[in-house]
Amino acid sequence: MSRRTLVMGSMRELGTVGLVAGLGSAYAAVLIMTSSFLSTMASSGGGVGVLLGSVATVFILIALYVSVVVIANCVDTVIAGRLRHIALLRLLGARGPYLRRSVMRATALVGLAGGVVGAVAGVVLADLTRIVLVARGTLPEADYGLIHPLVLLGVAAVVAAATLAGWLGSRAVLRVSPAQAMSGTASELPRSRAGSVLRALASLTLIGGGFLVLLLSMWLGEDGSAAGFLAAFLGSVVSATGLLLGARFVIPALVGLCARLVGAQPPSVLARRNAVKDPLRTTRSTMGLVIGVTLVTTFASGMQALRASIATWPTDAEHQGEMDRILAATTAILIAIVVISSVIAAVGFVSTMSLTVIQRQREIGLLRSLGFTRAQVRSMITRESIALSATAVAFGMVLGLVYGSVGAQSLIGFGTEGFVWGVPWLVLAGIAVCGVVLVLAASRAPARRAVTVTPIEALRIEA
C-alpha cells in the first residue's frame, strides 16, 4: 500500500484533484492558443498578442485561484474523514511533516496527470476549431502554430497550484496526535481560542480595509481619475481575502438561516442539523461555490451598470445603440470566459458533498436501523444540499452585485448622477437555474450510494 493510499485513501477521493487540474489546464491552453492565433492573424503585429495575452493571463490566474481553493477544500475534507487512520500512522512512528509531504506529492502527481491531459485536450480543441474557422473563411490563411510554448507554462502553473492546495489542505495532519488513535477519537481537534481570535481580527481588518478602498475608488471615479478602477480591483481583492479568511465564522450562520426554510419534517430537521453541525465542513463545501458565483455576478453586474450609466449620457440614438451592442457583446464574452471558474467551483461542491456523505455512512446506517426509509435518507441529503447551495448562490450574488456596481462606478462615475446598481436579471435567473441543477447533481449520486449500503454493513464501518 502506497503512502498516498495510506493518507489520502483511494483514487476516487483524489479524483476531484485530477478533474479540477484538467479543467484548469484545458482552460489555460484554450486561452493561450486563442491569443496566439489572433496575434498571428493581426496585421498590427505583436501588439494585439500582448494585449490578448495580458487579458488571458488575468482569467487564467482567476481560474488557478479558484482551483487552489477547491483542491485545498477537497484535501481538507478527505483528511477530516481519515483522521483515525492518520492517528494510527502517527502511533506507528510516522511524523506529521512526512505525512504532509506525502499529501503534497500525491496532489502534485495527480495534478500533473490531470494538467497534461487537460492541456492536450485544450490544444486539440483549439486547433480543431481554428481549422474549421479557416476552412469556412472566418479566419484568414496564416502560419498558425500547432502548439504554443506557454501551454507548458500553464501546465506547470496548474501543478504548482495543486501542490500549494495540497499543502494548505493538509494542515490538519500536523494537529493529529498518536493519542487520538489510542483513545479512539476520530474528530478533528478544535482550533485554539487565540488562533480563532487572531483569524477573526485579521478577517475584520481586511474586510474593513477593503471596503474603505472601495469607497475611495468610487470617489476617484467621481473625480474622473484613472486610478479609480485599480483601487476598486485592490479593494475587491483585499475584502474578498478577508471574507475567505473569516468564512468559517459567517458561512455556517448563513447556512443555518437558510436551512430553516427546507421544512419541519424529520429529514428536514436532520438536514438542518447536518448542515451546521461541522462549521469547517460547511465552509469547505460552500466557499468555492461562493467564489464562482461572485465572479460571474461581478462581471455581469459591472457591465450592466456600465450600460445603464452610458444610457443616461447625452448622445444620439445611433451612437447609443452602437455602444449598447458593444457592451452587450463584451458582457457575453467575459461571462463565457469566466464561467469555467464557476464550473471548477461546482465540481468542487459536488465532490465535497459526495465525500462527506461517504464519510457519514455509519451515521446513515444508524438512521436506517432506527426506521428511516431510503426515501427519507435521500430527502435528507437533498435538503442539506439545497441549504448549502442556496446559501452559496445568494451570498455570491450579493457580493457580485456590490463588486460589479462599485467597479463600474469607479470607471465612469464622473459621467453619472448618483450610484448606479447593475442588476443583470437574466444572468441572475440563469445562476438560479444552474443552482437547481447543481443541487440535483450534488445530492442524487451520493444519496443513491448511501442507500445501497445496508444498515448492518454501514454500522460495521469504523467511526
Side-chain angles (χ1 to χ4, degrees), residues 208-258:
F211 277 99
L212 286 177
V213 176
L214 288 175
L215 291 174
L216 173 64
S217 73
M218 290 190 289
W219 179 80
L220 291 173
E222 291 282 349
D223 200 42
S225 172
F229 187 68
L230 179 61
F233 174 76
L234 179 62
S236 299
V237 170
V238 172
S239 59
T241 302
L243 288 169
L244 187 63
L245 188 64
R248 66 180 62 177
F249 305 115
V250 178
I251 295 294
L254 295 177
V255 171
L257 290 175
C258 189

mmCIF file of all heavy atoms in Angstrom, residues 208-258:
data_model
loop_
_atom_site.group_PDB
_atom_site.id
_atom_site.type_symbol
_atom_site.label_atom_id
_atom_site.label_comp_id
_atom_site.label_asym_id
_atom_site.label_seq_id
_atom_site.Cartn_x
_atom_site.Cartn_y
_atom_site.Cartn_z
ATOM 1 N N GLY A 208 -12.804 45.400 6.454
ATOM 2 C CA GLY A 208 -12.976 46.842 6.654
ATOM 3 C C GLY A 208 -12.062 47.661 5.768
ATOM 4 O O GLY A 208 -12.490 48.635 5.127
ATOM 5 N N GLY A 209 -10.787 47.269 5.708
ATOM 6 C CA GLY A 209 -9.844 47.999 4.854
ATOM 7 C C GLY A 209 -10.214 47.908 3.392
ATOM 8 O O GLY A 209 -10.126 48.898 2.642
ATOM 9 N N GLY A 210 -10.656 46.724 2.963
ATOM 10 C CA GLY A 210 -11.037 46.555 1.564
ATOM 11 C C GLY A 210 -12.217 47.423 1.175
ATOM 12 O O GLY A 210 -12.211 48.061 0.107
ATOM 13 N N PHE A 211 -13.230 47.493 2.047
ATOM 14 C CA PHE A 211 -14.396 48.318 1.722
ATOM 15 C C PHE A 211 -14.078 49.811 1.798
ATOM 16 O O PHE A 211 -14.680 50.620 1.077
ATOM 17 C CB PHE A 211 -15.570 47.954 2.618
ATOM 18 C CG PHE A 211 -16.340 46.764 2.134
ATOM 19 C CD1 PHE A 211 -16.124 45.500 2.666
ATOM 20 C CD2 PHE A 211 -17.255 46.893 1.100
ATOM 21 C CE1 PHE A 211 -16.815 44.393 2.201
ATOM 22 C CE2 PHE A 211 -17.957 45.796 0.625
ATOM 23 C CZ PHE A 211 -17.732 44.539 1.164
ATOM 24 N N LEU A 212 -13.131 50.204 2.645
ATOM 25 C CA LEU A 212 -12.684 51.598 2.632
ATOM 26 C C LEU A 212 -12.008 51.939 1.303
ATOM 27 O O LEU A 212 -12.213 53.028 0.744
ATOM 28 C CB LEU A 212 -11.715 51.843 3.789
ATOM 29 C CG LEU A 212 -12.330 51.927 5.189
ATOM 30 C CD1 LEU A 212 -11.242 52.100 6.247
ATOM 31 C CD2 LEU A 212 -13.318 53.105 5.263
ATOM 32 N N VAL A 213 -11.207 50.991 0.779
ATOM 33 C CA VAL A 213 -10.575 51.210 -0.527
ATOM 34 C C VAL A 213 -11.629 51.255 -1.635
ATOM 35 O O VAL A 213 -11.519 52.034 -2.589
ATOM 36 C CB VAL A 213 -9.526 50.106 -0.814
ATOM 37 C CG1 VAL A 213 -8.932 50.276 -2.208
ATOM 38 C CG2 VAL A 213 -8.413 50.149 0.227
ATOM 39 N N LEU A 214 -12.691 50.452 -1.511
ATOM 40 C CA LEU A 214 -13.782 50.503 -2.491
ATOM 41 C C LEU A 214 -14.476 51.865 -2.467
ATOM 42 O O LEU A 214 -14.818 52.423 -3.526
ATOM 43 C CB LEU A 214 -14.793 49.393 -2.209
ATOM 44 C CG LEU A 214 -14.349 47.959 -2.527
ATOM 45 C CD1 LEU A 214 -15.418 46.965 -2.089
ATOM 46 C CD2 LEU A 214 -14.069 47.790 -4.011
ATOM 47 N N LEU A 215 -14.688 52.415 -1.280
ATOM 48 C CA LEU A 215 -15.264 53.760 -1.188
ATOM 49 C C LEU A 215 -14.334 54.788 -1.827
ATOM 50 O O LEU A 215 -14.782 55.708 -2.532
ATOM 51 C CB LEU A 215 -15.517 54.119 0.280
ATOM 52 C CG LEU A 215 -16.625 53.339 0.991
ATOM 53 C CD1 LEU A 215 -16.670 53.697 2.480
ATOM 54 C CD2 LEU A 215 -17.977 53.622 0.348
ATOM 55 N N LEU A 216 -13.028 54.622 -1.602
ATOM 56 C CA LEU A 216 -12.053 55.515 -2.231
ATOM 57 C C LEU A 216 -12.112 55.411 -3.751
ATOM 58 O O LEU A 216 -12.020 56.424 -4.462
ATOM 59 C CB LEU A 216 -10.640 55.174 -1.726
ATOM 60 C CG LEU A 216 -9.477 55.914 -2.402
ATOM 61 C CD1 LEU A 216 -9.572 57.413 -2.139
ATOM 62 C CD2 LEU A 216 -8.131 55.362 -1.915
ATOM 63 N N SER A 217 -12.279 54.200 -4.255
ATOM 64 C CA SER A 217 -12.338 54.012 -5.708
ATOM 65 C C SER A 217 -13.540 54.728 -6.310
ATOM 66 O O SER A 217 -13.452 55.301 -7.407
ATOM 67 C CB SER A 217 -12.407 52.512 -6.041
ATOM 68 O OG SER A 217 -13.670 51.963 -5.729
ATOM 69 N N MET A 218 -14.677 54.713 -5.614
ATOM 70 C CA MET A 218 -15.853 55.426 -6.123
ATOM 71 C C MET A 218 -15.620 56.932 -6.107
ATOM 72 O O MET A 218 -16.042 57.649 -7.024
ATOM 73 C CB MET A 218 -17.087 55.055 -5.304
ATOM 74 C CG MET A 218 -17.566 53.624 -5.533
ATOM 75 S SD MET A 218 -19.178 53.293 -4.782
ATOM 76 C CE MET A 218 -18.740 53.294 -3.040
ATOM 77 N N TRP A 219 -14.956 57.426 -5.076
ATOM 78 C CA TRP A 219 -14.636 58.859 -5.015
ATOM 79 C C TRP A 219 -13.696 59.245 -6.152
ATOM 80 O O TRP A 219 -13.874 60.293 -6.796
ATOM 81 C CB TRP A 219 -14.005 59.183 -3.669
ATOM 82 C CG TRP A 219 -13.630 60.637 -3.526
ATOM 83 C CD1 TRP A 219 -14.468 61.674 -3.215
ATOM 84 C CD2 TRP A 219 -12.321 61.194 -3.686
ATOM 85 N NE1 TRP A 219 -13.763 62.857 -3.179
ATOM 86 C CE2 TRP A 219 -12.447 62.596 -3.466
ATOM 87 C CE3 TRP A 219 -11.076 60.662 -3.989
ATOM 88 C CZ2 TRP A 219 -11.352 63.451 -3.535
ATOM 89 C CZ3 TRP A 219 -9.994 61.518 -4.068
ATOM 90 C CH2 TRP A 219 -10.125 62.893 -3.853
ATOM 91 N N LEU A 220 -12.707 58.380 -6.426
ATOM 92 C CA LEU A 220 -11.792 58.649 -7.552
ATOM 93 C C LEU A 220 -12.549 58.602 -8.876
ATOM 94 O O LEU A 220 -12.274 59.382 -9.796
ATOM 95 C CB LEU A 220 -10.664 57.613 -7.552
ATOM 96 C CG LEU A 220 -9.662 57.699 -6.394
ATOM 97 C CD1 LEU A 220 -8.707 56.509 -6.425
ATOM 98 C CD2 LEU A 220 -8.868 59.011 -6.475
ATOM 99 N N GLY A 221 -13.503 57.661 -8.996
ATOM 100 C CA GLY A 221 -14.304 57.591 -10.207
ATOM 101 C C GLY A 221 -15.143 58.829 -10.410
ATOM 102 O O GLY A 221 -15.304 59.314 -11.535
ATOM 103 N N GLU A 222 -15.714 59.368 -9.331
ATOM 104 C CA GLU A 222 -16.489 60.601 -9.424
ATOM 105 C C GLU A 222 -15.611 61.765 -9.862
ATOM 106 O O GLU A 222 -16.074 62.681 -10.550
ATOM 107 C CB GLU A 222 -17.106 60.920 -8.055
ATOM 108 C CG GLU A 222 -18.187 59.964 -7.611
ATOM 109 C CD GLU A 222 -19.511 60.232 -8.305
ATOM 110 O OE1 GLU A 222 -19.628 61.281 -8.966
ATOM 111 O OE2 GLU A 222 -20.406 59.380 -8.201
ATOM 112 N N ASP A 223 -14.337 61.700 -9.483
ATOM 113 C CA ASP A 223 -13.393 62.767 -9.826
ATOM 114 C C ASP A 223 -12.783 62.571 -11.208
ATOM 115 O O ASP A 223 -12.015 63.417 -11.680
ATOM 116 C CB ASP A 223 -12.283 62.817 -8.774
ATOM 117 C CG ASP A 223 -11.564 64.151 -8.756
ATOM 118 O OD1 ASP A 223 -12.239 65.185 -8.866
ATOM 119 O OD2 ASP A 223 -10.316 64.150 -8.643
ATOM 120 N N GLY A 224 -13.076 61.447 -11.867
ATOM 121 C CA GLY A 224 -12.556 61.188 -13.203
ATOM 122 C C GLY A 224 -11.135 60.672 -13.229
ATOM 123 O O GLY A 224 -10.475 60.697 -14.275
ATOM 124 N N SER A 225 -10.631 60.145 -12.093
ATOM 125 C CA SER A 225 -9.255 59.659 -12.038
ATOM 126 C C SER A 225 -9.159 58.258 -12.631
ATOM 127 O O SER A 225 -10.019 57.405 -12.389
ATOM 128 C CB SER A 225 -8.758 59.647 -10.593
ATOM 129 O OG SER A 225 -7.499 59.021 -10.481
ATOM 130 N N ALA A 226 -8.093 58.026 -13.390
ATOM 131 C CA ALA A 226 -7.879 56.701 -13.982
ATOM 132 C C ALA A 226 -7.498 55.665 -12.933
ATOM 133 O O ALA A 226 -7.545 54.463 -13.193
ATOM 134 C CB ALA A 226 -6.784 56.775 -15.042
ATOM 135 N N ALA A 227 -7.117 56.121 -11.724
ATOM 136 C CA ALA A 227 -6.719 55.195 -10.664
ATOM 137 C C ALA A 227 -7.918 54.577 -9.965
ATOM 138 O O ALA A 227 -7.755 53.681 -9.131
ATOM 139 C CB ALA A 227 -5.847 55.911 -9.643
ATOM 140 N N GLY A 228 -9.121 55.024 -10.293
ATOM 141 C CA GLY A 228 -10.309 54.535 -9.602
ATOM 142 C C GLY A 228 -10.526 53.047 -9.781
ATOM 143 O O GLY A 228 -10.795 52.322 -8.815
ATOM 144 N N PHE A 229 -10.405 52.572 -11.031
ATOM 145 C CA PHE A 229 -10.657 51.159 -11.284
ATOM 146 C C PHE A 229 -9.599 50.279 -10.632
ATOM 147 O O PHE A 229 -9.906 49.198 -10.115
ATOM 148 C CB PHE A 229 -10.703 50.894 -12.792
ATOM 149 C CG PHE A 229 -11.119 49.500 -13.137
ATOM 150 C CD1 PHE A 229 -12.417 49.065 -12.889
ATOM 151 C CD2 PHE A 229 -10.228 48.607 -13.700
ATOM 152 C CE1 PHE A 229 -12.818 47.772 -13.199
ATOM 153 C CE2 PHE A 229 -10.613 47.310 -14.011
ATOM 154 C CZ PHE A 229 -11.921 46.900 -13.765
ATOM 155 N N LEU A 230 -8.339 50.731 -10.632
ATOM 156 C CA LEU A 230 -7.277 49.979 -9.961
ATOM 157 C C LEU A 230 -7.557 49.881 -8.466
ATOM 158 O O LEU A 230 -7.374 48.816 -7.855
ATOM 159 C CB LEU A 230 -5.928 50.656 -10.207
ATOM 160 C CG LEU A 230 -4.707 50.007 -9.545
ATOM 161 C CD1 LEU A 230 -4.514 48.587 -10.057
ATOM 162 C CD2 LEU A 230 -3.455 50.832 -9.802
ATOM 163 N N ALA A 231 -8.045 50.978 -7.879
ATOM 164 C CA ALA A 231 -8.388 50.959 -6.456
ATOM 165 C C ALA A 231 -9.556 50.015 -6.197
ATOM 166 O O ALA A 231 -9.591 49.307 -5.185
ATOM 167 C CB ALA A 231 -8.725 52.375 -5.981
ATOM 168 N N ALA A 232 -10.527 49.979 -7.121
ATOM 169 C CA ALA A 232 -11.664 49.062 -6.969
ATOM 170 C C ALA A 232 -11.196 47.615 -7.010
ATOM 171 O O ALA A 232 -11.667 46.773 -6.226
ATOM 172 C CB ALA A 232 -12.695 49.322 -8.062
ATOM 173 N N PHE A 233 -10.278 47.311 -7.924
ATOM 174 C CA PHE A 233 -9.734 45.954 -8.005
ATOM 175 C C PHE A 233 -9.008 45.588 -6.713
ATOM 176 O O PHE A 233 -9.217 44.504 -6.150
ATOM 177 C CB PHE A 233 -8.790 45.840 -9.197
ATOM 178 C CG PHE A 233 -8.073 44.527 -9.292
ATOM 179 C CD1 PHE A 233 -8.730 43.390 -9.737
ATOM 180 C CD2 PHE A 233 -6.744 44.415 -8.911
ATOM 181 C CE1 PHE A 233 -8.081 42.173 -9.806
ATOM 182 C CE2 PHE A 233 -6.080 43.205 -8.984
ATOM 183 C CZ PHE A 233 -6.757 42.077 -9.439
ATOM 184 N N LEU A 234 -8.174 46.514 -6.219
ATOM 185 C CA LEU A 234 -7.430 46.258 -4.983
ATOM 186 C C LEU A 234 -8.374 46.069 -3.807
ATOM 187 O O LEU A 234 -8.211 45.141 -3.001
ATOM 188 C CB LEU A 234 -6.472 47.420 -4.713
ATOM 189 C CG LEU A 234 -5.623 47.326 -3.432
ATOM 190 C CD1 LEU A 234 -4.707 46.113 -3.486
ATOM 191 C CD2 LEU A 234 -4.804 48.601 -3.241
ATOM 192 N N GLY A 235 -9.393 46.930 -3.698
ATOM 193 C CA GLY A 235 -10.346 46.810 -2.602
ATOM 194 C C GLY A 235 -11.127 45.512 -2.653
ATOM 195 O O GLY A 235 -11.392 44.893 -1.614
ATOM 196 N N SER A 236 -11.487 45.072 -3.862
ATOM 197 C CA SER A 236 -12.213 43.812 -4.012
ATOM 198 C C SER A 236 -11.359 42.637 -3.574
ATOM 199 O O SER A 236 -11.834 41.732 -2.874
ATOM 200 C CB SER A 236 -12.654 43.631 -5.469
ATOM 201 O OG SER A 236 -13.512 44.673 -5.879
ATOM 202 N N VAL A 237 -10.090 42.634 -3.982
ATOM 203 C CA VAL A 237 -9.189 41.532 -3.622
ATOM 204 C C VAL A 237 -8.970 41.481 -2.112
ATOM 205 O O VAL A 237 -9.041 40.413 -1.485
ATOM 206 C CB VAL A 237 -7.834 41.688 -4.351
ATOM 207 C CG1 VAL A 237 -6.815 40.697 -3.802
ATOM 208 C CG2 VAL A 237 -8.011 41.489 -5.850
ATOM 209 N N VAL A 238 -8.739 42.654 -1.500
ATOM 210 C CA VAL A 238 -8.469 42.694 -0.059
ATOM 211 C C VAL A 238 -9.698 42.255 0.733
ATOM 212 O O VAL A 238 -9.617 41.422 1.650
ATOM 213 C CB VAL A 238 -8.026 44.113 0.367
ATOM 214 C CG1 VAL A 238 -7.940 44.217 1.889
ATOM 215 C CG2 VAL A 238 -6.671 44.449 -0.254
ATOM 216 N N SER A 239 -10.867 42.804 0.394
ATOM 217 C CA SER A 239 -12.086 42.449 1.132
ATOM 218 C C SER A 239 -12.474 40.992 0.898
ATOM 219 O O SER A 239 -12.926 40.306 1.826
ATOM 220 C CB SER A 239 -13.236 43.368 0.736
ATOM 221 O OG SER A 239 -13.505 43.282 -0.655
ATOM 222 N N ALA A 240 -12.293 40.499 -0.346
ATOM 223 C CA ALA A 240 -12.608 39.093 -0.627
ATOM 224 C C ALA A 240 -11.675 38.162 0.143
ATOM 225 O O ALA A 240 -12.103 37.101 0.626
ATOM 226 C CB ALA A 240 -12.509 38.821 -2.124
ATOM 227 N N THR A 241 -10.412 38.545 0.276
ATOM 228 C CA THR A 241 -9.474 37.753 1.072
ATOM 229 C C THR A 241 -9.905 37.709 2.536
ATOM 230 O O THR A 241 -9.838 36.660 3.194
ATOM 231 C CB THR A 241 -8.050 38.327 0.962
ATOM 232 O OG1 THR A 241 -7.651 38.352 -0.414
ATOM 233 C CG2 THR A 241 -7.063 37.485 1.753
ATOM 234 N N GLY A 242 -10.374 38.849 3.044
ATOM 235 C CA GLY A 242 -10.879 38.884 4.413
ATOM 236 C C GLY A 242 -12.099 37.999 4.600
ATOM 237 O O GLY A 242 -12.222 37.288 5.602
ATOM 238 N N LEU A 243 -13.004 38.030 3.613
ATOM 239 C CA LEU A 243 -14.190 37.161 3.681
ATOM 240 C C LEU A 243 -13.802 35.689 3.618
ATOM 241 O O LEU A 243 -14.384 34.854 4.318
ATOM 242 C CB LEU A 243 -15.137 37.503 2.534
ATOM 243 C CG LEU A 243 -15.890 38.827 2.653
ATOM 244 C CD1 LEU A 243 -16.584 39.163 1.342
ATOM 245 C CD2 LEU A 243 -16.909 38.759 3.785
ATOM 246 N N LEU A 244 -12.807 35.364 2.791
ATOM 247 C CA LEU A 244 -12.344 33.977 2.689
ATOM 248 C C LEU A 244 -11.702 33.536 4.002
ATOM 249 O O LEU A 244 -11.909 32.406 4.465
ATOM 250 C CB LEU A 244 -11.343 33.856 1.539
ATOM 251 C CG LEU A 244 -10.876 32.455 1.164
ATOM 252 C CD1 LEU A 244 -12.052 31.619 0.677
ATOM 253 C CD2 LEU A 244 -9.798 32.517 0.083
ATOM 254 N N LEU A 245 -10.941 34.437 4.619
ATOM 255 C CA LEU A 245 -10.267 34.111 5.877
ATOM 256 C C LEU A 245 -11.278 33.911 7.016
ATOM 257 O O LEU A 245 -11.114 33.023 7.864
ATOM 258 C CB LEU A 245 -9.286 35.230 6.244
ATOM 259 C CG LEU A 245 -8.339 34.992 7.418
ATOM 260 C CD1 LEU A 245 -7.383 33.840 7.114
ATOM 261 C CD2 LEU A 245 -7.546 36.260 7.728
ATOM 262 N N GLY A 246 -12.335 34.717 7.020
ATOM 263 C CA GLY A 246 -13.312 34.624 8.094
ATOM 264 C C GLY A 246 -14.575 33.882 7.716
ATOM 265 O O GLY A 246 -15.595 33.990 8.419
ATOM 266 N N ALA A 247 -14.521 33.113 6.628
ATOM 267 C CA ALA A 247 -15.725 32.426 6.146
ATOM 268 C C ALA A 247 -16.281 31.466 7.183
ATOM 269 O O ALA A 247 -17.506 31.310 7.300
ATOM 270 C CB ALA A 247 -15.404 31.672 4.850
ATOM 271 N N ARG A 248 -15.427 30.838 7.978
ATOM 272 C CA ARG A 248 -15.900 29.844 8.950
ATOM 273 C C ARG A 248 -16.751 30.476 10.048
ATOM 274 O O ARG A 248 -17.493 29.781 10.738
ATOM 275 C CB ARG A 248 -14.720 29.116 9.575
ATOM 276 C CG ARG A 248 -13.823 29.977 10.435
ATOM 277 C CD ARG A 248 -12.668 29.180 11.014
ATOM 278 N NE ARG A 248 -11.822 28.647 9.961
ATOM 279 C CZ ARG A 248 -10.704 27.966 10.190
ATOM 280 N NH1 ARG A 248 -10.324 27.743 11.429
ATOM 281 N NH2 ARG A 248 -9.963 27.527 9.207
ATOM 282 N N PHE A 249 -16.667 31.808 10.211
ATOM 283 C CA PHE A 249 -17.488 32.490 11.205
ATOM 284 C C PHE A 249 -18.822 32.965 10.614
ATOM 285 O O PHE A 249 -19.765 33.222 11.353
ATOM 286 C CB PHE A 249 -16.749 33.712 11.768
ATOM 287 C CG PHE A 249 -15.392 33.399 12.326
ATOM 288 C CD1 PHE A 249 -14.243 33.917 11.746
ATOM 289 C CD2 PHE A 249 -15.252 32.573 13.434
ATOM 290 C CE1 PHE A 249 -12.989 33.629 12.256
ATOM 291 C CE2 PHE A 249 -14.002 32.273 13.948
ATOM 292 C CZ PHE A 249 -12.868 32.803 13.361
ATOM 293 N N VAL A 250 -18.885 33.091 9.286
ATOM 294 C CA VAL A 250 -20.056 33.683 8.635
ATOM 295 C C VAL A 250 -20.908 32.637 7.927
ATOM 296 O O VAL A 250 -22.141 32.584 8.103
ATOM 297 C CB VAL A 250 -19.619 34.770 7.622
ATOM 298 C CG1 VAL A 250 -20.829 35.356 6.912
ATOM 299 C CG2 VAL A 250 -18.822 35.859 8.318
ATOM 300 N N ILE A 251 -20.266 31.779 7.134
ATOM 301 C CA ILE A 251 -20.997 30.838 6.281
ATOM 302 C C ILE A 251 -21.900 29.900 7.089
ATOM 303 O O ILE A 251 -23.078 29.719 6.744
ATOM 304 C CB ILE A 251 -20.018 30.034 5.408
ATOM 305 C CG1 ILE A 251 -19.298 30.971 4.424
ATOM 306 C CG2 ILE A 251 -20.757 28.938 4.654
ATOM 307 C CD1 ILE A 251 -20.203 31.594 3.395
ATOM 308 N N PRO A 252 -21.423 29.252 8.173
ATOM 309 C CA PRO A 252 -22.310 28.348 8.917
ATOM 310 C C PRO A 252 -23.567 29.043 9.438
ATOM 311 O O PRO A 252 -24.652 28.449 9.438
ATOM 312 C CB PRO A 252 -21.419 27.849 10.068
ATOM 313 C CG PRO A 252 -20.025 27.961 9.536
ATOM 314 C CD PRO A 252 -20.034 29.203 8.699
ATOM 315 N N ALA A 253 -23.427 30.304 9.896
ATOM 316 C CA ALA A 253 -24.601 31.027 10.387
ATOM 317 C C ALA A 253 -25.595 31.286 9.259
ATOM 318 O O ALA A 253 -26.818 31.135 9.443
ATOM 319 C CB ALA A 253 -24.167 32.354 11.016
ATOM 320 N N LEU A 254 -25.092 31.660 8.075
ATOM 321 C CA LEU A 254 -25.973 31.883 6.932
ATOM 322 C C LEU A 254 -26.648 30.590 6.485
ATOM 323 O O LEU A 254 -27.837 30.576 6.135
ATOM 324 C CB LEU A 254 -25.180 32.489 5.773
ATOM 325 C CG LEU A 254 -24.598 33.889 6.001
ATOM 326 C CD1 LEU A 254 -23.781 34.327 4.796
ATOM 327 C CD2 LEU A 254 -25.716 34.892 6.264
ATOM 328 N N VAL A 255 -25.891 29.490 6.513
ATOM 329 C CA VAL A 255 -26.477 28.193 6.152
ATOM 330 C C VAL A 255 -27.563 27.809 7.147
ATOM 331 O O VAL A 255 -28.613 27.272 6.772
ATOM 332 C CB VAL A 255 -25.380 27.105 6.091
ATOM 333 C CG1 VAL A 255 -25.999 25.725 5.929
ATOM 334 C CG2 VAL A 255 -24.425 27.377 4.938
ATOM 335 N N GLY A 256 -27.328 28.091 8.434
ATOM 336 C CA GLY A 256 -28.326 27.786 9.447
ATOM 337 C C GLY A 256 -29.630 28.537 9.199
ATOM 338 O O GLY A 256 -30.725 27.981 9.353
ATOM 339 N N LEU A 257 -29.514 29.815 8.808
ATOM 340 C CA LEU A 257 -30.716 30.596 8.496
ATOM 341 C C LEU A 257 -31.437 30.033 7.281
ATOM 342 O O LEU A 257 -32.670 29.903 7.268
ATOM 343 C CB LEU A 257 -30.334 32.064 8.252
ATOM 344 C CG LEU A 257 -29.872 32.856 9.474
ATOM 345 C CD1 LEU A 257 -29.412 34.250 9.050
ATOM 346 C CD2 LEU A 257 -30.995 32.973 10.496
ATOM 347 N N CYS A 258 -30.678 29.692 6.249
ATOM 348 C CA CYS A 258 -31.275 29.167 5.018
ATOM 349 C C CYS A 258 -31.885 27.785 5.251
ATOM 350 O O CYS A 258 -32.909 27.446 4.660
ATOM 351 C CB CYS A 258 -30.222 29.112 3.916
ATOM 352 S SG CYS A 258 -30.876 28.742 2.290
#
